[in-house]
Amino acid sequence: MAANGMQINVLYEQPVEIIIEFPLAILCAYNGGDNLDITWDDHIAAIINGTLQQNRVYIKHASLDYPATDSNDALFSSQMTLIVQPPGFDLNNIVDALTEENFQKGLCIKRKYDYTGFETVYADPFAIK
């Protein structure tokens, strides 16, 4: 697997771990704090899942981390283990799909590397790094 940021190159099917984060305040601004589940499930997660399916990338495991506080620096995150097939996957596809639907504000994507752990590979100007 080549470690070059947004482009994931694989010679054989293998797992890749990523984290997708948004500031909670930005997610709440879309449809209000009471409708966060609608914003995530019906919009953002649906866009991400559709992009992954179109590119033959499968989600092996996913978990959500919802902050217990409403502070300005609270992060809403989704950690995923993706199964990527050859020749690979470009994480820019997720960024582009979210941007097309105007859900990119605050987006941060982190990718796990074998020796250094999670590293930020994409951060919108409004992201909390």
PDB file of all heavy atoms in Angstrom, residues 3-33:
ATOM      1  N   ALA A   3       1.761   5.018   0.674  1.00  0.00           N
ATOM      2  CA  ALA A   3       1.338   6.005   1.662  1.00  0.00           C
ATOM      3  C   ALA A   3       1.550   7.402   1.090  1.00  0.00           C
ATOM      4  O   ALA A   3       2.548   8.039   1.360  1.00  0.00           O
ATOM      5  CB  ALA A   3       2.119   5.821   2.956  1.00  0.00           C
ATOM      6  N   ASN A   4       0.616   7.841   0.275  1.00  0.00           N
ATOM      7  CA  ASN A   4       0.750   9.160  -0.320  1.00  0.00           C
ATOM      8  C   ASN A   4      -0.514   9.991  -0.125  1.00  0.00           C
ATOM      9  O   ASN A   4      -1.049  10.543  -1.068  1.00  0.00           O
ATOM     10  CB  ASN A   4       1.145   9.060  -1.799  1.00  0.00           C
ATOM     11  CG  ASN A   4       0.165   8.253  -2.617  1.00  0.00           C
ATOM     12  OD1 ASN A   4      -0.793   7.726  -2.094  1.00  0.00           O
ATOM     13  ND2 ASN A   4       0.420   8.159  -3.902  1.00  0.00           N
ATOM     14  N   GLY A   5      -0.978  10.059   1.080  1.00  0.00           N
ATOM     15  CA  GLY A   5      -2.078  10.940   1.427  1.00  0.00           C
ATOM     16  C   GLY A   5      -3.438  10.473   0.969  1.00  0.00           C
ATOM     17  O   GLY A   5      -3.937   9.457   1.405  1.00  0.00           O
ATOM     18  N   MET A   6      -4.014  11.236   0.063  1.00  0.00           N
ATOM     19  CA  MET A   6      -5.390  10.986  -0.348  1.00  0.00           C
ATOM     20  C   MET A   6      -5.527   9.779  -1.281  1.00  0.00           C
ATOM     21  O   MET A   6      -6.571   9.164  -1.325  1.00  0.00           O
ATOM     22  CB  MET A   6      -5.951  12.233  -1.039  1.00  0.00           C
ATOM     23  CG  MET A   6      -6.032  13.448  -0.130  1.00  0.00           C
ATOM     24  SD  MET A   6      -7.293  13.313   1.135  1.00  0.00           S
ATOM     25  CE  MET A   6      -8.736  13.733   0.199  1.00  0.00           C
ATOM     26  N   GLN A   7      -4.510   9.451  -2.001  1.00  0.00           N
ATOM     27  CA  GLN A   7      -4.559   8.315  -2.918  1.00  0.00           C
ATOM     28  C   GLN A   7      -4.144   7.037  -2.184  1.00  0.00           C
ATOM     29  O   GLN A   7      -3.061   6.973  -1.618  1.00  0.00           O
ATOM     30  CB  GLN A   7      -3.635   8.536  -4.122  1.00  0.00           C
ATOM     31  CG  GLN A   7      -3.669   7.413  -5.130  1.00  0.00           C
ATOM     32  CD  GLN A   7      -5.031   7.232  -5.794  1.00  0.00           C
ATOM     33  OE1 GLN A   7      -5.683   8.199  -6.155  1.00  0.00           O
ATOM     34  NE2 GLN A   7      -5.463   5.993  -5.929  1.00  0.00           N
ATOM     35  N   ILE A   8      -5.026   6.047  -2.191  1.00  0.00           N
ATOM     36  CA  ILE A   8      -4.744   4.753  -1.575  1.00  0.00           C
ATOM     37  C   ILE A   8      -4.517   3.764  -2.711  1.00  0.00           C
ATOM     38  O   ILE A   8      -5.450   3.444  -3.447  1.00  0.00           O
ATOM     39  CB  ILE A   8      -5.916   4.289  -0.693  1.00  0.00           C
ATOM     40  CG1 ILE A   8      -6.199   5.307   0.408  1.00  0.00           C
ATOM     41  CG2 ILE A   8      -5.639   2.911  -0.116  1.00  0.00           C
ATOM     42  CD1 ILE A   8      -7.504   5.085   1.146  1.00  0.00           C
ATOM     43  N   ASN A   9      -3.293   3.317  -2.877  1.00  0.00           N
ATOM     44  CA  ASN A   9      -2.954   2.347  -3.922  1.00  0.00           C
ATOM     45  C   ASN A   9      -2.732   0.987  -3.273  1.00  0.00           C
ATOM     46  O   ASN A   9      -1.974   0.883  -2.322  1.00  0.00           O
ATOM     47  CB  ASN A   9      -1.685   2.776  -4.659  1.00  0.00           C
ATOM     48  CG  ASN A   9      -1.854   4.097  -5.367  1.00  0.00           C
ATOM     49  OD1 ASN A   9      -2.874   4.350  -5.997  1.00  0.00           O
ATOM     50  ND2 ASN A   9      -0.873   4.962  -5.242  1.00  0.00           N
ATOM     51  N   VAL A  10      -3.415  -0.039  -3.801  1.00  0.00           N
ATOM     52  CA  VAL A  10      -3.266  -1.384  -3.262  1.00  0.00           C
ATOM     53  C   VAL A  10      -3.046  -2.381  -4.390  1.00  0.00           C
ATOM     54  O   VAL A  10      -3.565  -2.211  -5.493  1.00  0.00           O
ATOM     55  CB  VAL A  10      -4.491  -1.806  -2.411  1.00  0.00           C
ATOM     56  CG1 VAL A  10      -4.631  -0.936  -1.178  1.00  0.00           C
ATOM     57  CG2 VAL A  10      -5.773  -1.772  -3.221  1.00  0.00           C
ATOM     58  N   LEU A  11      -2.259  -3.405  -4.095  1.00  0.00           N
ATOM     59  CA  LEU A  11      -2.020  -4.478  -5.066  1.00  0.00           C
ATOM     60  C   LEU A  11      -2.991  -5.632  -4.868  1.00  0.00           C
ATOM     61  O   LEU A  11      -3.189  -6.446  -5.766  1.00  0.00           O
ATOM     62  CB  LEU A  11      -0.584  -4.983  -4.945  1.00  0.00           C
ATOM     63  CG  LEU A  11       0.496  -3.940  -5.249  1.00  0.00           C
ATOM     64  CD1 LEU A  11       1.884  -4.509  -4.974  1.00  0.00           C
ATOM     65  CD2 LEU A  11       0.378  -3.472  -6.694  1.00  0.00           C
ATOM     66  N   TYR A  12      -3.567  -5.708  -3.670  1.00  0.00           N
ATOM     67  CA  TYR A  12      -4.541  -6.742  -3.352  1.00  0.00           C
ATOM     68  C   TYR A  12      -5.532  -6.150  -2.354  1.00  0.00           C
ATOM     69  O   TYR A  12      -5.259  -5.129  -1.718  1.00  0.00           O
ATOM     70  CB  TYR A  12      -3.859  -7.987  -2.772  1.00  0.00           C
ATOM     71  CG  TYR A  12      -2.973  -7.685  -1.587  1.00  0.00           C
ATOM     72  CD1 TYR A  12      -3.487  -7.690  -0.289  1.00  0.00           C
ATOM     73  CD2 TYR A  12      -1.627  -7.366  -1.763  1.00  0.00           C
ATOM     74  CE1 TYR A  12      -2.682  -7.380   0.796  1.00  0.00           C
ATOM     75  CE2 TYR A  12      -0.819  -7.072  -0.678  1.00  0.00           C
ATOM     76  CZ  TYR A  12      -1.357  -7.076   0.604  1.00  0.00           C
ATOM     77  OH  TYR A  12      -0.564  -6.767   1.678  1.00  0.00           O
ATOM     78  N   GLU A  13      -6.693  -6.765  -2.225  1.00  0.00           N
ATOM     79  CA  GLU A  13      -7.728  -6.275  -1.321  1.00  0.00           C
ATOM     80  C   GLU A  13      -7.181  -6.189   0.100  1.00  0.00           C
ATOM     81  O   GLU A  13      -6.591  -7.152   0.589  1.00  0.00           O
ATOM     82  CB  GLU A  13      -8.921  -7.229  -1.376  1.00  0.00           C
ATOM     83  CG  GLU A  13     -10.061  -6.821  -0.476  1.00  0.00           C
ATOM     84  CD  GLU A  13     -11.231  -7.771  -0.599  1.00  0.00           C
ATOM     85  OE1 GLU A  13     -11.914  -7.746  -1.628  1.00  0.00           O
ATOM     86  OE2 GLU A  13     -11.424  -8.558   0.351  1.00  0.00           O
ATOM     87  N   GLN A  14      -7.372  -5.042   0.745  1.00  0.00           N
ATOM     88  CA  GLN A  14      -6.877  -4.884   2.107  1.00  0.00           C
ATOM     89  C   GLN A  14      -7.629  -3.798   2.864  1.00  0.00           C
ATOM     90  O   GLN A  14      -8.237  -2.918   2.255  1.00  0.00           O
ATOM     91  CB  GLN A  14      -5.389  -4.620   2.109  1.00  0.00           C
ATOM     92  CG  GLN A  14      -4.950  -3.399   1.355  1.00  0.00           C
ATOM     93  CD  GLN A  14      -3.430  -3.345   1.275  1.00  0.00           C
ATOM     94  OE1 GLN A  14      -2.786  -2.949   2.217  1.00  0.00           O
ATOM     95  NE2 GLN A  14      -2.894  -3.770   0.150  1.00  0.00           N
ATOM     96  N   PRO A  15      -7.574  -3.862   4.202  1.00  0.00           N
ATOM     97  CA  PRO A  15      -8.258  -2.860   5.014  1.00  0.00           C
ATOM     98  C   PRO A  15      -7.445  -1.570   5.124  1.00  0.00           C
ATOM     99  O   PRO A  15      -6.216  -1.590   5.145  1.00  0.00           O
ATOM    100  CB  PRO A  15      -8.384  -3.540   6.381  1.00  0.00           C
ATOM    101  CG  PRO A  15      -7.264  -4.516   6.419  1.00  0.00           C
ATOM    102  CD  PRO A  15      -7.031  -4.953   5.009  1.00  0.00           C
ATOM    103  N   VAL A  16      -8.180  -0.466   5.189  1.00  0.00           N
ATOM    104  CA  VAL A  16      -7.594   0.855   5.395  1.00  0.00           C
ATOM    105  C   VAL A  16      -8.486   1.565   6.416  1.00  0.00           C
ATOM    106  O   VAL A  16      -9.707   1.581   6.263  1.00  0.00           O
ATOM    107  CB  VAL A  16      -7.550   1.670   4.084  1.00  0.00           C
ATOM    108  CG1 VAL A  16      -7.051   3.077   4.340  1.00  0.00           C
ATOM    109  CG2 VAL A  16      -6.698   0.963   3.044  1.00  0.00           C
ATOM    110  N   GLU A  17      -7.876   2.135   7.444  1.00  0.00           N
ATOM    111  CA  GLU A  17      -8.643   2.836   8.467  1.00  0.00           C
ATOM    112  C   GLU A  17      -8.601   4.339   8.229  1.00  0.00           C
ATOM    113  O   GLU A  17      -7.540   4.903   7.967  1.00  0.00           O
ATOM    114  CB  GLU A  17      -8.091   2.533   9.857  1.00  0.00           C
ATOM    115  CG  GLU A  17      -8.338   1.107  10.292  1.00  0.00           C
ATOM    116  CD  GLU A  17      -7.865   0.855  11.709  1.00  0.00           C
ATOM    117  OE1 GLU A  17      -8.369   1.542  12.629  1.00  0.00           O
ATOM    118  OE2 GLU A  17      -6.981   0.005  11.871  1.00  0.00           O
ATOM    119  N   ILE A  18      -9.785   4.966   8.315  1.00  0.00           N
ATOM    120  CA  ILE A  18      -9.880   6.413   8.193  1.00  0.00           C
ATOM    121  C   ILE A  18     -10.801   6.948   9.286  1.00  0.00           C
ATOM    122  O   ILE A  18     -11.599   6.202   9.869  1.00  0.00           O
ATOM    123  CB  ILE A  18     -10.394   6.872   6.816  1.00  0.00           C
ATOM    124  CG1 ILE A  18     -11.844   6.428   6.574  1.00  0.00           C
ATOM    125  CG2 ILE A  18      -9.473   6.400   5.695  1.00  0.00           C
ATOM    126  CD1 ILE A  18     -12.499   7.081   5.370  1.00  0.00           C
ATOM    127  N   ILE A  19     -10.664   8.226   9.544  1.00  0.00           N
ATOM    128  CA  ILE A  19     -11.582   8.944  10.426  1.00  0.00           C
ATOM    129  C   ILE A  19     -12.078  10.149   9.646  1.00  0.00           C
ATOM    130  O   ILE A  19     -11.284  10.882   9.046  1.00  0.00           O
ATOM    131  CB  ILE A  19     -10.899   9.410  11.722  1.00  0.00           C
ATOM    132  CG1 ILE A  19     -10.422   8.214  12.545  1.00  0.00           C
ATOM    133  CG2 ILE A  19     -11.851  10.291  12.547  1.00  0.00           C
ATOM    134  CD1 ILE A  19      -9.626   8.599  13.786  1.00  0.00           C
ATOM    135  N   ILE A  20     -13.392  10.352   9.654  1.00  0.00           N
ATOM    136  CA  ILE A  20     -14.000  11.526   9.048  1.00  0.00           C
ATOM    137  C   ILE A  20     -14.589  12.346  10.192  1.00  0.00           C
ATOM    138  O   ILE A  20     -15.400  11.837  10.966  1.00  0.00           O
ATOM    139  CB  ILE A  20     -15.077  11.129   8.024  1.00  0.00           C
ATOM    140  CG1 ILE A  20     -14.415  10.371   6.870  1.00  0.00           C
ATOM    141  CG2 ILE A  20     -15.840  12.361   7.535  1.00  0.00           C
ATOM    142  CD1 ILE A  20     -15.365   9.890   5.814  1.00  0.00           C
ATOM    143  N   GLU A  21     -14.145  13.603  10.292  1.00  0.00           N
ATOM    144  CA  GLU A  21     -14.554  14.465  11.396  1.00  0.00           C
ATOM    145  C   GLU A  21     -15.188  15.749  10.894  1.00  0.00           C
ATOM    146  O   GLU A  21     -14.808  16.259   9.839  1.00  0.00           O
ATOM    147  CB  GLU A  21     -13.347  14.855  12.255  1.00  0.00           C
ATOM    148  CG  GLU A  21     -12.665  13.727  12.942  1.00  0.00           C
ATOM    149  CD  GLU A  21     -11.433  14.177  13.713  1.00  0.00           C
ATOM    150  OE1 GLU A  21     -10.805  15.201  13.339  1.00  0.00           O
ATOM    151  OE2 GLU A  21     -11.100  13.497  14.682  1.00  0.00           O
ATOM    152  N   PHE A  22     -16.116  16.255  11.708  1.00  0.00           N
ATOM    153  CA  PHE A  22     -16.720  17.557  11.498  1.00  0.00           C
ATOM    154  C   PHE A  22     -16.853  18.238  12.854  1.00  0.00           C
ATOM    155  O   PHE A  22     -17.183  17.579  13.847  1.00  0.00           O
ATOM    156  CB  PHE A  22     -18.138  17.434  10.920  1.00  0.00           C
ATOM    157  CG  PHE A  22     -18.198  17.042   9.480  1.00  0.00           C
ATOM    158  CD1 PHE A  22     -18.285  15.706   9.124  1.00  0.00           C
ATOM    159  CD2 PHE A  22     -18.198  17.997   8.483  1.00  0.00           C
ATOM    160  CE1 PHE A  22     -18.366  15.335   7.796  1.00  0.00           C
ATOM    161  CE2 PHE A  22     -18.279  17.630   7.152  1.00  0.00           C
ATOM    162  CZ  PHE A  22     -18.365  16.295   6.806  1.00  0.00           C
ATOM    163  N   PRO A  23     -16.651  19.550  12.921  1.00  0.00           N
ATOM    164  CA  PRO A  23     -16.983  20.267  14.151  1.00  0.00           C
ATOM    165  C   PRO A  23     -18.485  20.141  14.404  1.00  0.00           C
ATOM    166  O   PRO A  23     -19.296  20.306  13.474  1.00  0.00           O
ATOM    167  CB  PRO A  23     -16.593  21.715  13.856  1.00  0.00           C
ATOM    168  CG  PRO A  23     -15.587  21.616  12.746  1.00  0.00           C
ATOM    169  CD  PRO A  23     -16.026  20.427  11.935  1.00  0.00           C
ATOM    170  N   LEU A  24     -18.846  19.836  15.620  1.00  0.00           N
ATOM    171  CA  LEU A  24     -20.259  19.655  15.962  1.00  0.00           C
ATOM    172  C   LEU A  24     -21.068  20.912  15.649  1.00  0.00           C
ATOM    173  O   LEU A  24     -22.186  20.824  15.144  1.00  0.00           O
ATOM    174  CB  LEU A  24     -20.394  19.276  17.442  1.00  0.00           C
ATOM    175  CG  LEU A  24     -21.803  18.980  17.932  1.00  0.00           C
ATOM    176  CD1 LEU A  24     -22.410  17.820  17.154  1.00  0.00           C
ATOM    177  CD2 LEU A  24     -21.788  18.678  19.417  1.00  0.00           C
ATOM    178  N   ALA A  25     -20.497  22.076  15.911  1.00  0.00           N
ATOM    179  CA  ALA A  25     -21.210  23.333  15.665  1.00  0.00           C
ATOM    180  C   ALA A  25     -21.583  23.483  14.190  1.00  0.00           C
ATOM    181  O   ALA A  25     -22.670  23.974  13.863  1.00  0.00           O
ATOM    182  CB  ALA A  25     -20.359  24.517  16.124  1.00  0.00           C
ATOM    183  N   ILE A  26     -20.715  23.039  13.297  1.00  0.00           N
ATOM    184  CA  ILE A  26     -21.011  23.137  11.863  1.00  0.00           C
ATOM    185  C   ILE A  26     -22.104  22.156  11.469  1.00  0.00           C
ATOM    186  O   ILE A  26     -23.021  22.500  10.726  1.00  0.00           O
ATOM    187  CB  ILE A  26     -19.738  22.936  11.025  1.00  0.00           C
ATOM    188  CG1 ILE A  26     -18.817  24.150  11.200  1.00  0.00           C
ATOM    189  CG2 ILE A  26     -20.065  22.703   9.552  1.00  0.00           C
ATOM    190  CD1 ILE A  26     -17.484  24.042  10.523  1.00  0.00           C
ATOM    191  N   LEU A  27     -22.043  20.935  11.980  1.00  0.00           N
ATOM    192  CA  LEU A  27     -23.100  19.966  11.659  1.00  0.00           C
ATOM    193  C   LEU A  27     -24.459  20.448  12.160  1.00  0.00           C
ATOM    194  O   LEU A  27     -25.465  20.300  11.470  1.00  0.00           O
ATOM    195  CB  LEU A  27     -22.786  18.602  12.273  1.00  0.00           C
ATOM    196  CG  LEU A  27     -21.702  17.777  11.610  1.00  0.00           C
ATOM    197  CD1 LEU A  27     -21.587  16.418  12.286  1.00  0.00           C
ATOM    198  CD2 LEU A  27     -21.956  17.596  10.125  1.00  0.00           C
ATOM    199  N   CYS A  28     -24.479  21.028  13.345  1.00  0.00           N
ATOM    200  CA  CYS A  28     -25.737  21.529  13.908  1.00  0.00           C
ATOM    201  C   CYS A  28     -26.276  22.713  13.118  1.00  0.00           C
ATOM    202  O   CYS A  28     -27.488  22.943  13.083  1.00  0.00           O
ATOM    203  CB  CYS A  28     -25.547  21.902  15.369  1.00  0.00           C
ATOM    204  SG  CYS A  28     -25.290  20.476  16.443  1.00  0.00           S
ATOM    205  N   ALA A  29     -25.393  23.470  12.474  1.00  0.00           N
ATOM    206  CA  ALA A  29     -25.823  24.637  11.700  1.00  0.00           C
ATOM    207  C   ALA A  29     -26.624  24.239  10.457  1.00  0.00           C
ATOM    208  O   ALA A  29     -27.432  25.028   9.966  1.00  0.00           O
ATOM    209  CB  ALA A  29     -24.619  25.481  11.299  1.00  0.00           C
ATOM    210  N   TYR A  30     -26.428  23.043   9.938  1.00  0.00           N
ATOM    211  CA  TYR A  30     -27.144  22.626   8.729  1.00  0.00           C
ATOM    212  C   TYR A  30     -28.647  22.504   8.967  1.00  0.00           C
ATOM    213  O   TYR A  30     -29.433  23.055   8.225  1.00  0.00           O
ATOM    214  CB  TYR A  30     -26.608  21.286   8.207  1.00  0.00           C
ATOM    215  CG  TYR A  30     -25.263  21.386   7.540  1.00  0.00           C
ATOM    216  CD1 TYR A  30     -24.164  20.723   8.068  1.00  0.00           C
ATOM    217  CD2 TYR A  30     -25.087  22.126   6.377  1.00  0.00           C
ATOM    218  CE1 TYR A  30     -22.920  20.804   7.447  1.00  0.00           C
ATOM    219  CE2 TYR A  30     -23.854  22.212   5.756  1.00  0.00           C
ATOM    220  CZ  TYR A  30     -22.772  21.546   6.300  1.00  0.00           C
ATOM    221  OH  TYR A  30     -21.556  21.631   5.684  1.00  0.00           O
ATOM    222  N   ASN A  31     -29.056  21.760   9.980  1.00  0.00           N
ATOM    223  CA  ASN A  31     -30.482  21.509  10.221  1.00  0.00           C
ATOM    224  C   ASN A  31     -30.869  21.663  11.684  1.00  0.00           C
ATOM    225  O   ASN A  31     -31.935  21.206  12.088  1.00  0.00           O
ATOM    226  CB  ASN A  31     -30.853  20.089   9.774  1.00  0.00           C
ATOM    227  CG  ASN A  31     -30.732  19.896   8.286  1.00  0.00           C
ATOM    228  OD1 ASN A  31     -31.285  20.656   7.520  1.00  0.00           O
ATOM    229  ND2 ASN A  31     -29.990  18.887   7.883  1.00  0.00           N
ATOM    230  N   GLY A  32     -29.997  22.234  12.490  1.00  0.00           N
ATOM    231  CA  GLY A  32     -30.270  22.387  13.912  1.00  0.00           C
ATOM    232  C   GLY A  32     -29.765  21.194  14.699  1.00  0.00           C
ATOM    233  O   GLY A  32     -29.632  20.091  14.170  1.00  0.00           O
ATOM    234  N   GLY A  33     -29.473  21.425  15.964  1.00  0.00           N
ATOM    235  CA  GLY A  33     -28.937  20.387  16.835  1.00  0.00           C
ATOM    236  C   GLY A  33     -29.878  19.223  17.057  1.00  0.00           C
ATOM    237  O   GLY A  33     -29.445  18.092  17.242  1.00  0.00           O
TER     238      GLY A  33
END
